[in-house]
Amino acid sequence: LPVADLIIHAAGKAHSVPRTAAESVAFENVNVGGTRRLLQALSHASRLPKYFVFISSIAVYGLEHGELIDENHPLEATDPYGKSKIAAESLVEAWCKKNQVVCTILRLPLLAGENPPGNLQAMIKGISKGYYFDIKVANVKKSMVLTDDVAIFIEKIYQVGGVFHLTDGYHPGFSEISNLIAKQLGKKKPMAIPYGLIKAIAYIGNFLGPKFPINSRKLDKMTNTLTFTDQKARRITDWRAKSVLDHFKI
């Protein structure tokens, strides 16, 4: 197996809520088992890499709300995805320490880039088809970062190592993002509906499956502020993130 000096491990299973035990186990099989198999393969290569970057997630903290959380917060995820990312981080850190490989772990928030997956993809689809609505809640902020800025940071940090958050430093709200997407799609600004009404709709969505655009879990994420500080990343390197609102192109 030929090996480069730098390995960036970004593969994994995400952006789905398991409905069965088998779907829950899939997170373990892919995110933990896949990471273990990659490390085993690297161990049997003709030579080891010098640097290893693992793309993790803020999901490891198990948080639904909070402001300017730093990298020292306990890893308390209880959902299958978050737990699988904790376990994968542990595998990577142990392997790198054993083999004297410089280890970098990036715990990333919502990623903004061309053709994004997950919640942003759902928002874009909803706005384009006319069924997306904003929710009347004030000052809800979410940490986000542009994919291009993540790539730039990796170039600056991979020889140093450590655990880092990355954000754009502003933490836009969902309504700001939806307005930006609507403008790019040539659509009207999404209508805002009362929280009580959307809460009732979300409750119904709990029983209608993943194709329904909203459920109680998604609503909680959309109506609670959850932000992270990336001062460690900015302090250690001269990296400066661009504003998502100014540079996100769908």
Side-chain angles (χ1 to χ4, degrees):
L1 176 68
V3 176
D5 286 339
L6 168 62
I7 302 295
I8 301 174
H9 176 22
K13 177 177 175 60
H15 306 302
S16 66
V17 178
R19 292 175 294 167
T20 66
E23 289 178 356
S24 295
V25 170
F27 284 101
E28 170 82 14
N29 292 340
V30 175
N31 295 341
V32 185
T35 298
R36 182 180 293 111
R37 288 187 289 274
L38 171 61
L39 297 174
Q40 289 171 343
L42 292 173
S43 295
H44 291 94
S46 56
R47 65 179 179 86
L48 294 173
K50 296 178 181 178
Y51 315 101
F52 194 103
V53 176
F54 178 56
I55 304 301
S56 189
S57 167
I58 57 169
V60 295
Y61 300 114
L63 296 172
E64 294 293 339
H65 58 85
E67 294 187 49
L68 300 179
I69 308 300
D70 68 19
E71 292 87 349
N72 296 315
H73 193 282
L75 309 185
E76 298 176 327
T78 57
D79 65 293
Y81 174 65
K83 288 169 65 177
S84 72
K85 282 297 191 179
I86 293 173
E89 281 191 16
S90 180
L91 286 175
V92 169
E93 287 180 316
W95 184 86
C96 288
K97 183 177 180 180
K98 175 183 176 182
N99 294 288
Q100 297 183 310
V101 174
V102 177
C103 177
T104 303
I105 293 175
L106 303 183
R107 293 177 183 154
L108 301 181
L110 192 61
L111 286 167
E114 189 175 347
N115 298 318
N119 288 335
L120 275 181
Q121 182 186 68
M123 183 184 287
I124 292 168
K125 183 178 178 181
I127 293 171
S128 68
K129 293 184 177 296
Y131 61 74
Y132 177 86
F133 299 93
D134 282 325
I135 304 166
K136 288 184 179 179
V137 287
N139 301 319
V140 175
K141 297 288 186 179
K142 298 292 183 180
S143 288
M144 300 181 69
V145 68
L146 293 162
T147 54
D148 290 351
D149 279 334
V150 175
I152 291 169
F153 182 74
I154 289 174
E155 290 184 324
K156 292 179 177 294
I157 202 64
Y158 76 90
Q159 294 181 327
V160 179
V163 178
F164 300 93
H165 298 155
L166 299 179
T167 81
D168 77 342
Y170 173 70
H171 318 289
F174 272 110
S175 62
E176 292 177 295
I177 295 296
S178 66
N179 290 343
L180 173 64
I181 291 171
K183 185 176 181 180
Q184 291 189 37
L185 291 172
K187 301 289 185 178
K188 293 182 180 179
K189 177 181 176 180
M191 182 183 300
I193 59 178
Y195 176 77
L197 177 58
I198 194 66
K199 185 177 181 179
I201 296 172
Y203 180 77
I204 296 171
N206 295 340
F207 304 96
L208 297 181
K211 291 186 178 181
F212 196 73
I214 189 72
N215 56 40
S216 294
R217 185 172 183 271
K218 287 183 180 179
L219 180 62
D220 284 343
K221 285 189 173 183
M222 294 174 68
T223 54
N224 285 305
T225 286
L226 182 57
T227 61
F228 298 82
T229 178
D230 62 358
Q231 288 306 304
K232 179 181 176 182
R234 296 171 187 265
R235 184 178 69 250
I236 291 178
T237 74
D238 61 353
W239 175 80
R240 291 292 180 270
K242 297 184 290 295
S243 163
V244 169
L245 294 178
D246 291 336
H247 294 87
F248 175 38
K249 307 295 182 186
I250 62 173

